């Protein structure tokens, strides 16, 4: 593998072709299946409507059990897995993955600038959950107790990092991804993101001297990811 290999493909098909024990860190952000709870976009006077529907790609039903066998097979014995998820899927992930790994924990990303709720009718969605799992002997690069909090604060992805075309509603900030890549892998390791969107995990991995493998099913997002990765020296 060169510095990176990315594919415009359905990751469920692609993973079948991947060799056993070929990945050091799976860091991924699959669909959340939260669009089904949406009450629709919110029109804001004089501004662009607030996207409450996420996107079409969120309407597929994601079954964590369909990822388990390939994730376990491609991950090295000292590898780590970090998966962004949401309140409605956390139980399913736990049910399927907890018994398969020595440790199953969660990590919270606190967004310091979440979308506002102008009618003040509920909490802001300012926290995103990331589940993580590993087996004994896994890679772990903590230097201080402070770094060991299962909590990280950063704004949501903003200009100029945020892409305008295509605009991805779930583009993650590279700063957050770098924090995880640093803790959970070493230089030269292979980081894999089967649901890479516009390639943010790849940017974090390459900028930190890791190798990157990724899949994205949508052509426009894939092309945007390709462009971002090509620009990293
Ligand atoms: C939450 S987004 C990831 C966003 C990404 N973290 C970023 O910063 O750009 C999930 C992505 O998974 C893609 N996707 C959904 N099903 C897929 C599949 N079966 N194979 C590959 N990609 C898929 C969607 O098109 C979407 O871009």
């Amino acid at each position: 593998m060169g510095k990176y290999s990315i594919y415009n493909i359905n990751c469920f098909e692609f993973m079948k072709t991947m060799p056993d024990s070929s990945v050091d860190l799976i860091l991924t952000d699959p669909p959340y299946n939260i669009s089904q709870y949406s009450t629709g976009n919110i029109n804001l006077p004089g501004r662009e409507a607030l996207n409450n529907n996420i996107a079409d790609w969120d309407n597929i039903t994601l079954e964590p059990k369909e990822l388990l066998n390939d994730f376990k097979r491609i991950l090295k014995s000292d590898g780590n897995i970090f998966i962004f998820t949401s309140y409605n899927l956390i139980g399913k992930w736990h049910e399927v993955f907890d018994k398969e790994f020595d440790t199953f924990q969660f990590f919270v990303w606190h967004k310091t600038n979440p979308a506002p709720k102008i009618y003040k009718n509920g909490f802001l969605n300012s926290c995103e959950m990331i589940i993580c799992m590993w087996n004994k002997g896994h890679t772990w690069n903590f230097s201080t107790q402070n770094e060991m909090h299962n909590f990280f604060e950063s704004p949501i992805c903003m200009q100029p990092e945020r892409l305008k075309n295509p605009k991805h509603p779930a583009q993650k900030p590279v700063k957050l991804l770098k924090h995880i890549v640093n803790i959970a892998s070493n230089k030269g390791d292979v980081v894999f993101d089967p649901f890479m969107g516009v390639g943010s995990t790849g940017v974090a991995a390459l900028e930190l001297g890791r190798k990157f493998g990724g899949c994205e099913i949508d052509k426009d997002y894939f092309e945007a990811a390709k462009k971002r990765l090509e620009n990293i020296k």
Side-chain angles (χ1 to χ4, degrees):
M1 178 180 187
K3 271 207 221 158
Y4 66 93
S5 303
I6 58 170
Y7 303 90
N8 181 203
I9 197 170
N10 182 337
C11 65
F12 290 93
E13 285 166 26
F14 180 75
M15 284 191 292
K16 303 274 170 260
T17 69
M18 289 175 71
D20 297 357
S21 305
S22 52
V23 169
D24 298 280
L25 169 63
I26 297 173
L27 169 53
T28 193
D29 181 20
Y32 321 106
N33 293 169
I34 44 175
S35 294
Q36 58 184 312
Y37 304 107
S38 167
T39 48
N41 283 356
I42 300 174
N43 292 319
L44 300 174
R47 290 175 54 186
E48 200 181 333
L50 191 65
N51 173 16
N52 223 21
N53 279 333
I54 310 287
D56 285 347
W57 51 255
D58 196 56
N59 290 325
I60 62 141
T61 300
L62 187 93
E63 287 296 347
K65 64 175 186 286
E66 290 169 10
L67 291 164
L68 177 70
N69 287 345
D70 281 321
F71 275 16
K72 279 187 73 178
R73 187 182 58 74
I74 63 177
L75 191 71
K76 292 185 187 168
S77 58
D78 59 354
N80 291 300
I81 303 183
F82 283 72
I83 305 172
F84 286 79
T85 189
S86 49
Y87 67 93
N88 51 308
L89 282 187
I90 181 88
K92 272 193 187 177
W93 284 109
H94 184 263
E95 188 187 333
V96 175
F97 278 72
D98 177 55
K99 53 184 183 288
E100 302 287 339
F101 290 87
D102 291 343
T103 302
F104 180 107
Q105 287 195 330
F106 72 92
F107 182 96
V108 170
W109 167 33
H110 178 232
K111 306 170 187 178
T112 51
N113 57 346
K117 285 205 171 174
I118 51 168
Y119 301 117
K120 299 191 176 163
N121 54 357
F123 289 116
L124 299 180
N125 289 316
S126 67
C127 287
E128 204 159 315
M129 200 176 302
I130 302 161
I131 50 162
C132 33
M133 55 221 96
W134 48 77
N135 286 317
K136 287 191 186 72
H138 70 125
T139 298
W140 218 220
N141 295 319
F142 284 137
S143 52
T144 63
Q145 292 287 315
N146 227 7
E147 256 188 1
M148 293 175 66
H149 289 243
N150 59 341
F151 176 84
F152 190 81
E153 275 195 320
S154 89
I156 57 170
C157 199
M158 305 286 284
Q159 300 295 336
E161 182 180 334
R162 175 139 230 149
L163 303 190
K164 284 193 178 135
N165 188 18
K167 199 165 159 186
H168 195 302
Q171 184 182 340
K172 294 293 176 291
V174 169
K175 183 177 167 193
L176 164 69
L177 300 168
K178 277 186 165 173
H179 178 72
I180 296 171
V181 169
N182 255 327
I183 289 171
S185 69
N186 293 311
K187 280 206 162 139
D189 278 359
V190 174
V191 178
F192 177 58
D193 184 351
F195 300 91
M196 72 172 172
V198 290
S200 313
T201 305
V203 174
L206 295 190
E207 287 186 353
L208 291 172
R210 276 65 170 170
K211 295 178 180 157
F212 178 66
C215 305
E216 171 54 49
I217 205 163
D218 180 279
K219 181 104 175 69
D220 292 341
Y221 293 153
F222 170 80
E223 291 299 334
K226 192 163 158 241
K227 220 185 255 174
R228 285 176 92 191
L229 299 187
E230 277 166 0
N231 284 330
I232 297 170
K233 298 284 165 264

